[in-house]
């Protein structure tokens, strides 16, 4: 929908009828793809589905067997045209690919190559080293950096270029979960501030959940689903996509209080709407999305007396069974999708129109800043 309101000339990037052959095999076929200005487009999919191939093709680093790439409405096919794109983009690969030199040299290299004035280089490098928490490492040899520090260096190296479009291929791989989360949080904050048009590839659907405006699910070299983060995670087009992304309830709300790390989030159209309790470090007034996996939600026919702090009554609007599971959609004043075993659905006599209680623990809620 958003796509149709943007004219071709204002698109950041557009691919038309692209096919890519590698090792004699067609590994990518994309009839049409548009990257919108200022969006974070995340490409997810299993290994070998063609994510890296798509990223390299969109960045003009891999020549497609057929098709057209348009950068800001202009063709990017000839060397001269591609140079225009390459001058305005930055790429971050899975491996930090740092020069055997200092962090400072690495971060400023692109600017020096582009002939940017010394003072400007210093201003920008200082800013991005600071922003990624590595200012104290400026004089360090890159080879002595930890994995997380190296990744922060490669992100700073990309952002100093102030790119029109940023491409990243699995940039947070290989980190322990703590460093990974910290760097993702910082990166997310930077994207929110700079509104840099971004295409990011990952096999990790949690990264897509944390960062994406729109998500592409790639399977077997084709786009299986393209939609907003909410569409893809709440409404996967088929079971394979659902199995890959994991279905997720994503509900927008506003934090009304934080007491010792337990937050209340007001959701729903009415004000104050229903309150969902969650564990997070958000402050009152912050806009957030609360995410709840369907398997975290328990259904009961009468109000549960369990320890779950979040308990809502609702009406079943849809019930679909597949395999051993039933997917239950409930209207609690806000929509909830719940996954239960087919057997327990039968035991509870679940059917469309039935009144039901849904409950989940505050610790089962994942909070994302909006
Ligand atoms: P993903 O990034 O999703 O893991 P890739 O884009 O790396 O997928 O790979 C897509 C397909 O292209 C795979 O079948 C892979 O084996 C093949 N492929 C990737 N790189 C090459 C290459 N350099 N030569 C031949 N085939 C390749």
């Amino acid at each position: 929908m958003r796509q149709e309101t943007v004219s071709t000339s204002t698109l950041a990037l557009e691919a038309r009828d692209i096919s890519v052959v590698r090792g004699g095999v067609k590994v990518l076929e994309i009839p049409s793809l548009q990257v919108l200005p200022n969006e974070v487009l995340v490409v997810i999919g299993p290994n070998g589905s063609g994510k890296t191939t798509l990223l390299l093709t969109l960045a003009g680093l891999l020549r497609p067997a057929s098709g057209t790439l348009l950068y800001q409405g202009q063709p990017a096919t000839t060397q001269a045209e591609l140079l225009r794109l390459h001058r305005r983009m930055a790429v971050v690969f899975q491996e930090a690919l740092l020069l055997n030199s200092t962090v400072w040299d690495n971060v400023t290299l692109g600017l020096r190559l582009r002939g940017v004035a010394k003072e400007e280089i210093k201003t920008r490098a200082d800013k991005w080293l600071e922003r990624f928490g590595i200012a104290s490492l400026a004089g360090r040899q890159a080879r002595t950096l930890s994995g997380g520090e190296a990744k922060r260096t490669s992100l700073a190296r990309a952002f100093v270029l102030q790119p029109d479009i940023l491409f990243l291929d699995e940039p947070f791989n290989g980190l322990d979960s703590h460093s990974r989360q910290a760097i993702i949080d910082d990166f997310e904050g930077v994207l929110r501030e700079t509104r840099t048009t971004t295409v990011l590839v990952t096999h990790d659907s949690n990264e897509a959940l944390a960062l994406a405006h729109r998500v592409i699910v790639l399977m077997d070299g084709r786009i299986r689903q393209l939609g907003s983060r909410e569409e893809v995670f709440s409404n996967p087009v088929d079971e394979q996509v659902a199995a890959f992304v994991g279905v997720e309830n994503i509900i927008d709300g506003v934090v009304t209080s934080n007491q010792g790390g337990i937050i209340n989030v007001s959701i729903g159209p009415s004000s104050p709407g229903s309150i969902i309790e969650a564990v997070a470090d958000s402050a009152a007034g912050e806009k957030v999305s609360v995410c709840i996996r369907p398997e975290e939600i328990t259904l009961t026919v009468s109000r549960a007396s369990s320890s779950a702090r979040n308990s809502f009554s609702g009406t079943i609007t849809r019930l679909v069974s597949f395999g051993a599971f039933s997917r239950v959609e409930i209207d609690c004043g806000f929509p909830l999708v719940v996954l239960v075993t087919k057997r327990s659905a039968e035991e509870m006599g679940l059917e469309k129109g039935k009144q039901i209680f849904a409950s989940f623990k505050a610790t089962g809620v994942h909070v994302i800043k909006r």
Side-chain angles (χ1 to χ4, degrees), residues 22-25 27 45-54 169-170 201 218:
R22 300 187 94 173
V25 179
V27 295
N47 280 336
S49 57
K51 301 184 296 297
T52 296
T53 303
L54 175 60
D169 189 1
E170 305 262 10
V201 157
L218 205 62

Side-chain angles (χ1 to χ4, degrees), residues 44-46 49 217-224 238 240-241 244:
I44 56 175
S49 57
V217 183
L218 205 62
M219 289 190 175
D220 300 326
R222 286 160 199 265
I223 296 177
R224 188 67 72 84
D238 58 31
Q240 238 184 325
V241 174
F244 185 73

Side-chain angles (χ1 to χ4, degrees), residues 12-23:
L13 200 62
E14 188 179 8
R16 292 184 187 159
D17 292 322
I18 294 273
S19 69
V20 178
V21 175
R22 300 187 94 173

Side-chain angles (χ1 to χ4, degrees), residues 212-232:
H213 297 134
R214 292 194 307 157
V215 176
I216 291 177
V217 183
L218 205 62
M219 289 190 175
D220 300 326
R222 286 160 199 265
I223 296 177
R224 188 67 72 84
Q225 186 166 9
L226 193 170
S228 69
R229 187 187 64 176
E230 288 75 7
E231 277 162 8
V232 171

Side-chain angles (χ1 to χ4, degrees), residues 42-52 55 91-96 151 154-155 167-175 180 184 199-205 207 244:
V42 176
V43 183
I44 56 175
N47 280 336
S49 57
K51 301 184 296 297
T52 296
L55 188 93
V91 187
V92 176
F93 292 102
Q94 186 171 343
E95 302 297 331
K151 294 205 187 275
S154 64
L155 286 175
F167 297 95
L168 307 99
D169 189 1
E170 305 262 10
F172 312 118
N173 263 13
L175 297 177
R180 189 184 174 104
I184 289 175
V199 182
L200 181 142
V201 157
T202 177
H203 66 276
D204 181 348
S205 54
E207 273 175 29
F244 185 73

Side-chain angles (χ1 to χ4, degrees), residues 304-326:
S305 57
S306 75
S307 64
R309 303 293 288 269
N310 296 300
S311 181
F312 301 96
S313 78
T315 310
I316 296 177
T317 51
R318 193 155 173 252
L319 182 80
V320 183
S321 294
F322 56 93
F325 291 96
S326 294

Side-chain angles (χ1 to χ4, degrees), residues 92-169:
V92 176
F93 292 102
Q94 186 171 343
E95 302 297 331
L97 299 177
L98 300 178
L99 297 176
N100 188 10
S101 184
T102 62
V103 167
W104 180 268
D105 284 346
N106 271 281
V107 169
T108 56
L109 177 68
L111 295 177
R112 285 183 278 130
L113 289 176
R114 290 177 193 199
V116 175
K118 260 191 178 164
E119 311 78 69
E120 173 75 10
I121 291 180
K122 177 159 169 37
T123 308
R124 287 205 216 167
D126 282 343
K127 172 182 167 184
W128 289 107
L129 287 167
E130 184 68 38
R131 190 64 184 80
F132 282 107
I134 47 171
S136 64
L137 302 176
R140 276 269 291 278
Q141 288 296 317
R143 64 173 183 280
T144 69
L145 298 174
S146 72
E149 289 163 350
K151 294 205 187 275
R152 287 173 179 277
T153 303
S154 64
L155 286 175
R157 182 175 59 180
F159 278 98
V160 289
L161 297 174
Q162 299 178 346
D164 283 349
I165 183 159
L166 176 63
F167 297 95
L168 307 99
D169 189 1

